[in-house]
Short mmCIF file of all heavy atoms in Angstrom, two decimals:
data_model
loop_
_atom_site.label_atom_id
_atom_site.label_comp_id
_atom_site.label_asym_id
_atom_site.label_seq_id
_atom_site.Cartn_x
_atom_site.Cartn_y
_atom_site.Cartn_z
N ARG A 224 16.15 8.10 -5.78
CA ARG A 224 15.55 6.89 -6.35
C ARG A 224 14.70 6.21 -5.28
O ARG A 224 15.20 5.76 -4.25
CB ARG A 224 16.64 5.93 -6.83
CG ARG A 224 17.50 6.52 -7.94
CD ARG A 224 18.03 5.43 -8.83
NE ARG A 224 16.93 4.66 -9.42
CZ ARG A 224 17.09 3.52 -10.06
NH1 ARG A 224 18.28 2.99 -10.19
NH2 ARG A 224 16.05 2.88 -10.58
N ALA A 225 13.40 6.19 -5.52
CA ALA A 225 12.50 5.66 -4.50
C ALA A 225 11.30 4.97 -5.15
O ALA A 225 10.86 5.36 -6.23
CB ALA A 225 12.01 6.80 -3.61
N VAL A 226 10.80 3.95 -4.47
CA VAL A 226 9.55 3.31 -4.85
C VAL A 226 8.47 3.88 -3.94
O VAL A 226 8.67 3.96 -2.72
CB VAL A 226 9.64 1.77 -4.70
CG1 VAL A 226 8.28 1.13 -4.72
CG2 VAL A 226 10.52 1.19 -5.82
N PHE A 227 7.37 4.33 -4.53
CA PHE A 227 6.30 4.92 -3.73
C PHE A 227 5.10 3.99 -3.73
O PHE A 227 4.54 3.66 -4.79
CB PHE A 227 5.91 6.30 -4.30
CG PHE A 227 5.02 7.05 -3.38
CD1 PHE A 227 5.56 7.81 -2.34
CD2 PHE A 227 3.64 6.99 -3.50
CE1 PHE A 227 4.73 8.50 -1.46
CE2 PHE A 227 2.81 7.69 -2.64
CZ PHE A 227 3.36 8.44 -1.61
N LEU A 228 4.71 3.56 -2.53
CA LEU A 228 3.55 2.66 -2.40
C LEU A 228 2.28 3.48 -2.25
O LEU A 228 2.24 4.41 -1.43
CB LEU A 228 3.71 1.77 -1.17
CG LEU A 228 4.86 0.78 -1.16
CD1 LEU A 228 4.84 -0.02 0.14
CD2 LEU A 228 4.80 -0.16 -2.36
N GLN A 229 1.27 3.12 -3.00
CA GLN A 229 -0.03 3.76 -2.76
C GLN A 229 -1.15 2.78 -3.02
O GLN A 229 -0.95 1.73 -3.64
CB GLN A 229 -0.20 5.03 -3.59
CG GLN A 229 -0.06 4.83 -5.07
CD GLN A 229 -0.05 6.15 -5.81
OE1 GLN A 229 -0.67 7.11 -5.39
NE2 GLN A 229 0.66 6.21 -6.91
N SER A 230 -2.32 3.15 -2.51
CA SER A 230 -3.51 2.30 -2.66
C SER A 230 -3.22 0.85 -2.23
O SER A 230 -3.59 -0.08 -2.94
CB SER A 230 -4.03 2.34 -4.09
OG SER A 230 -4.28 3.65 -4.49
N THR A 231 -2.54 0.69 -1.12
CA THR A 231 -2.30 -0.65 -0.59
C THR A 231 -3.54 -1.09 0.20
O THR A 231 -4.01 -0.36 1.08
CB THR A 231 -1.07 -0.65 0.36
OG1 THR A 231 0.03 -0.07 -0.32
CG2 THR A 231 -0.73 -2.06 0.81
N ILE A 232 -4.05 -2.23 -0.16
CA ILE A 232 -5.25 -2.75 0.51
C ILE A 232 -5.08 -4.25 0.69
O ILE A 232 -4.61 -4.94 -0.22
CB ILE A 232 -6.51 -2.50 -0.34
CG1 ILE A 232 -6.69 -1.01 -0.59
CG2 ILE A 232 -7.76 -3.07 0.32
CD1 ILE A 232 -7.57 -0.74 -1.76
N THR A 233 -5.46 -4.72 1.86
CA THR A 233 -5.45 -6.17 2.07
C THR A 233 -6.87 -6.65 2.38
O THR A 233 -7.73 -5.86 2.78
CB THR A 233 -4.50 -6.57 3.22
OG1 THR A 233 -4.88 -5.86 4.40
CG2 THR A 233 -3.06 -6.27 2.87
N ASP A 234 -7.06 -7.95 2.20
CA ASP A 234 -8.38 -8.56 2.41
C ASP A 234 -8.72 -8.53 3.90
O ASP A 234 -7.97 -9.05 4.73
CB ASP A 234 -8.31 -10.01 1.91
CG ASP A 234 -9.69 -10.66 1.88
OD1 ASP A 234 -10.50 -10.36 2.77
OD2 ASP A 234 -9.92 -11.47 0.98
N PRO A 235 -9.84 -7.90 4.26
CA PRO A 235 -10.17 -7.76 5.69
C PRO A 235 -10.52 -9.08 6.37
O PRO A 235 -10.57 -9.14 7.60
CB PRO A 235 -11.38 -6.83 5.67
CG PRO A 235 -12.00 -7.05 4.34
CD PRO A 235 -10.87 -7.32 3.40
N HIS A 236 -10.74 -10.14 5.58
CA HIS A 236 -11.00 -11.44 6.21
C HIS A 236 -9.74 -11.95 6.93
O HIS A 236 -9.81 -12.88 7.72
CB HIS A 236 -11.44 -12.47 5.16
CG HIS A 236 -12.73 -12.09 4.50
ND1 HIS A 236 -12.79 -11.60 3.22
CD2 HIS A 236 -13.99 -12.11 4.96
CE1 HIS A 236 -14.05 -11.33 2.92
NE2 HIS A 236 -14.80 -11.63 3.96
N PHE A 237 -8.59 -11.35 6.60
CA PHE A 237 -7.32 -11.84 7.17
C PHE A 237 -6.60 -10.76 7.96
O PHE A 237 -5.37 -10.75 8.00
CB PHE A 237 -6.44 -12.40 6.04
CG PHE A 237 -7.15 -13.39 5.19
CD1 PHE A 237 -7.46 -13.09 3.87
CD2 PHE A 237 -7.57 -14.60 5.72
CE1 PHE A 237 -8.16 -13.99 3.09
CE2 PHE A 237 -8.28 -15.51 4.94
CZ PHE A 237 -8.58 -15.20 3.62
N THR A 238 -7.34 -9.84 8.57
CA THR A 238 -6.67 -8.83 9.39
C THR A 238 -5.89 -9.52 10.50
O THR A 238 -6.29 -10.58 10.99
CB THR A 238 -7.66 -7.84 10.05
OG1 THR A 238 -8.61 -8.60 10.76
CG2 THR A 238 -8.35 -6.95 9.05
N GLY A 239 -4.76 -8.93 10.85
CA GLY A 239 -3.94 -9.49 11.92
C GLY A 239 -2.94 -10.52 11.42
O GLY A 239 -2.06 -10.95 12.15
N ARG A 240 -3.04 -10.90 10.13
CA ARG A 240 -2.11 -11.88 9.60
C ARG A 240 -0.81 -11.24 9.11
O ARG A 240 0.15 -11.91 8.78
CB ARG A 240 -2.77 -12.58 8.42
CG ARG A 240 -2.58 -14.07 8.41
CD ARG A 240 -2.87 -14.58 7.01
NE ARG A 240 -4.01 -15.48 7.00
CZ ARG A 240 -4.37 -16.18 5.92
NH1 ARG A 240 -3.69 -16.05 4.79
NH2 ARG A 240 -5.39 -16.97 5.97
N GLY A 241 -0.83 -9.90 9.01
CA GLY A 241 0.39 -9.20 8.58
C GLY A 241 0.56 -9.15 7.08
O GLY A 241 1.67 -9.02 6.57
N LEU A 242 -0.55 -9.24 6.34
CA LEU A 242 -0.43 -9.22 4.87
C LEU A 242 0.15 -7.89 4.39
O LEU A 242 0.95 -7.85 3.46
CB LEU A 242 -1.79 -9.47 4.22
CG LEU A 242 -2.42 -10.84 4.51
CD1 LEU A 242 -3.76 -10.97 3.78
CD2 LEU A 242 -1.49 -11.97 4.09
N GLY A 243 -0.26 -6.81 5.06
CA GLY A 243 0.26 -5.50 4.68
C GLY A 243 1.76 -5.40 4.98
O GLY A 243 2.51 -4.75 4.25
N VAL A 244 2.18 -6.07 6.04
CA VAL A 244 3.61 -6.07 6.41
C VAL A 244 4.39 -6.85 5.34
O VAL A 244 5.49 -6.45 4.93
CB VAL A 244 3.81 -6.70 7.80
CG1 VAL A 244 5.26 -6.60 8.24
CG2 VAL A 244 2.89 -6.05 8.83
N LEU A 245 3.79 -7.94 4.90
CA LEU A 245 4.42 -8.75 3.85
C LEU A 245 4.62 -7.92 2.58
O LEU A 245 5.69 -7.95 1.96
CB LEU A 245 3.51 -9.96 3.57
CG LEU A 245 4.11 -11.15 2.85
CD1 LEU A 245 5.30 -11.70 3.61
CD2 LEU A 245 3.05 -12.23 2.67
N ILE A 246 3.59 -7.17 2.21
CA ILE A 246 3.69 -6.31 1.01
C ILE A 246 4.81 -5.29 1.22
O ILE A 246 5.60 -5.02 0.32
CB ILE A 246 2.34 -5.61 0.72
CG1 ILE A 246 1.30 -6.66 0.27
CG2 ILE A 246 2.50 -4.52 -0.34
CD1 ILE A 246 -0.12 -6.11 0.10
N ALA A 247 4.89 -4.74 2.43
CA ALA A 247 5.92 -3.73 2.71
C ALA A 247 7.33 -4.34 2.60
O ALA A 247 8.23 -3.74 2.01
CB ALA A 247 5.71 -3.13 4.10
N PHE A 248 7.51 -5.55 3.15
CA PHE A 248 8.84 -6.17 3.06
C PHE A 248 9.18 -6.55 1.63
O PHE A 248 10.33 -6.44 1.20
CB PHE A 248 8.95 -7.37 4.02
CG PHE A 248 9.31 -6.93 5.40
CD1 PHE A 248 8.33 -6.74 6.36
CD2 PHE A 248 10.63 -6.66 5.73
CE1 PHE A 248 8.65 -6.30 7.63
CE2 PHE A 248 10.97 -6.20 7.00
CZ PHE A 248 9.97 -6.02 7.95
N TRP A 249 8.16 -6.99 0.89
CA TRP A 249 8.38 -7.24 -0.54
C TRP A 249 8.86 -5.95 -1.22
O TRP A 249 9.80 -5.97 -2.01
CB TRP A 249 7.08 -7.74 -1.20
CG TRP A 249 7.16 -7.62 -2.67
CD1 TRP A 249 7.78 -8.46 -3.55
CD2 TRP A 249 6.67 -6.51 -3.47
NE1 TRP A 249 7.70 -7.96 -4.83
CE2 TRP A 249 7.03 -6.76 -4.80
CE3 TRP A 249 5.95 -5.34 -3.17
CZ2 TRP A 249 6.69 -5.89 -5.84
CZ3 TRP A 249 5.63 -4.47 -4.20
CH2 TRP A 249 6.00 -4.76 -5.52
N ALA A 250 8.21 -4.82 -0.89
CA ALA A 250 8.56 -3.54 -1.53
C ALA A 250 10.00 -3.14 -1.21
O ALA A 250 10.72 -2.62 -2.07
CB ALA A 250 7.59 -2.45 -1.08
N LEU A 251 10.45 -3.41 0.04
CA LEU A 251 11.84 -3.08 0.40
C LEU A 251 12.80 -3.89 -0.47
O LEU A 251 13.81 -3.37 -0.96
CB LEU A 251 12.09 -3.41 1.88
CG LEU A 251 11.29 -2.63 2.92
CD1 LEU A 251 11.67 -3.10 4.33
CD2 LEU A 251 11.53 -1.13 2.80
#
Side-chain angles (χ1 to χ4, degrees):
R224 298 209 58 191
V226 164
F227 191 84
L228 296 181
Q229 57 188 329
S230 305
T231 307
I232 300 160
T233 56
D234 189 325
H236 297 105
F237 309 112
T238 54
R240 224 198 243 188
L242 297 181
V244 185
L245 198 58
I246 292 173
F248 276 96
W249 163 80
L251 297 180

